[in-house]
Amino acid sequence: MSVSLQKGQKVSLSKDNAGLSKVIIGLGWDEVKRSKGFFAPKPKPIDCDASALLLQNGKLVSNEDIVYFGNLTHKTGTVKHMGDNLTGAGDGDDEQIVVDLSSVPAEYDKIVIVVNIYQAMERQQHFGLIENAFIRLVDGRNNNEMCKYNLSEDYSGMTAMIFGEVYRHNGEWKFNAMGQGTTDPGLGQLAGRFA
C-alpha cells in the first residue's frame, strides 16, 4: 500500500517492508504548456536531470559519489541511474535510480536525490515551468509503490531541487520528502551544497 507524503515527512522503508533489499526511486515531471506568439521561436524542451549523491557522515567526499547521466553506476555498483530523459515526455517515471540497499557500504549513510534543469540559465527555464513533479519509492522485489511525494508548491525561479533523501538510521533505511528548491545553475553547484 502506497503512502502519500507531505513535505518534510519521514517514513521508514525497512520497518514495514521486511526483507526490503532494493528500491527504485522514480522521478517524474511534465512541462507546463506555454503559449507562444505566432512568430516566436519554439521554446526548447525542459531537460530535467536526476542525480543521486552518496554521502558519508552527511558529506559528499568525492565526485565519484555522484550518480547522474554522465556516471550511470556508482563505483560500488549499488546505485544505478537508468538513463536520461531529455524532455519529460510520456506517462509514469521520467527517470529512475535503483538502489541496492542491502549492499550499500556502511560508510554511506545518506543518498540525496536531486534534480536540476540542464542549461537552465542559458535557456531561461525554471521549475515554475514544470508541473506534476513527484518522487516515489518502489519495492524492487515486486514493483509495489511504497510511498510517493507530489511536489505541488510553486517553484518559480528555482533551477534545481532537492527532491528527497534515503538515509540509514540505527540500521534502518528511511526516506525524507524534502522538496527544497534552489537557484543553483547546475549539478556542480548543487552538489557543492553537500561538500
Side-chain angles (χ1 to χ4, degrees):
M1 183 173 117
S2 180
V3 176
S4 182
L5 301 178
Q6 303 298 315
K7 185 173 186 171
Q9 187 174 355
K10 296 175 171 73
V11 64
S12 172
L13 299 177
S14 40
K15 187 186 224 179
D16 301 325
N17 299 284
L20 179 69
S21 57
K22 185 185 291 186
V23 292
I24 301 165
I25 302 169
L27 301 128
W29 51 80
D30 294 316
E31 193 171 330
V32 172
K33 302 291 181 255
R34 294 181 271 174
S35 60
K36 49 191 180 284
F38 188 71
F39 293 107
K42 183 177 181 192
K44 288 189 182 289
I46 298 176
D47 178 8
C48 290
D49 293 324
S51 306
L53 312 176
L54 283 78
L55 308 185
Q56 297 181 40
N57 295 316
K59 297 283 185 194
L60 181 66
V61 298
S62 168
N63 285 344
E64 291 180 335
D65 291 332
I66 303 172
V67 178
Y68 68 110
F69 67 85
N71 179 34
L72 293 175
T73 303
H74 188 259
K75 63 186 176 185
T76 62
T78 59
V79 179
K80 296 181 181 177
H81 191 299
M82 302 311 291
D84 192 16
N85 180 328
L86 300 176
T87 65
D91 292 332
D93 299 337
D94 292 315
E95 293 191 10
Q96 291 182 330
I97 296 170
V98 178
V99 181
D100 183 355
L101 296 173
S102 63
S103 301
V104 173
E107 63 265 25
Y108 295 103
D109 59 339
K110 192 178 287 190
I111 301 167
V112 179
I113 307 301
V114 299
V115 176
N116 66 288
I117 298 174
Y118 180 70
Q119 294 185 336
M121 300 302 188
E122 297 90 327
R123 298 180 179 189
Q124 299 179 350
Q125 296 173 341
H126 54 84
F127 273 94
L129 301 171
I130 299 285
E131 62 185 359
N132 305 322
F134 66 85
I135 179 171
R136 67 189 193 110
L137 272 69
V138 175
D139 187 330
R141 298 170 298 181
N142 53 25
N143 286 329
N144 286 339
E145 182 179 282
M146 296 182 293
C147 59
K148 184 173 185 175
Y149 171 43
N150 289 306
L151 288 84
S152 55
E153 290 181 32
D154 180 10
Y155 292 99
S156 291
M158 301 297 164
T159 55
M161 191 176 313
I162 303 165
F163 269 49
E165 60 187 8
V166 176
Y167 64 99
R168 203 185 322 236
H169 180 71
N170 293 333
E172 187 181 323
W173 285 103
K174 299 184 178 230
F175 175 71
N176 179 21
M178 297 174 75
Q180 177 187 339
T182 79
T183 55
D184 295 310
L187 178 57
Q189 296 84 353
L190 189 53
R193 291 176 173 266
F194 300 93

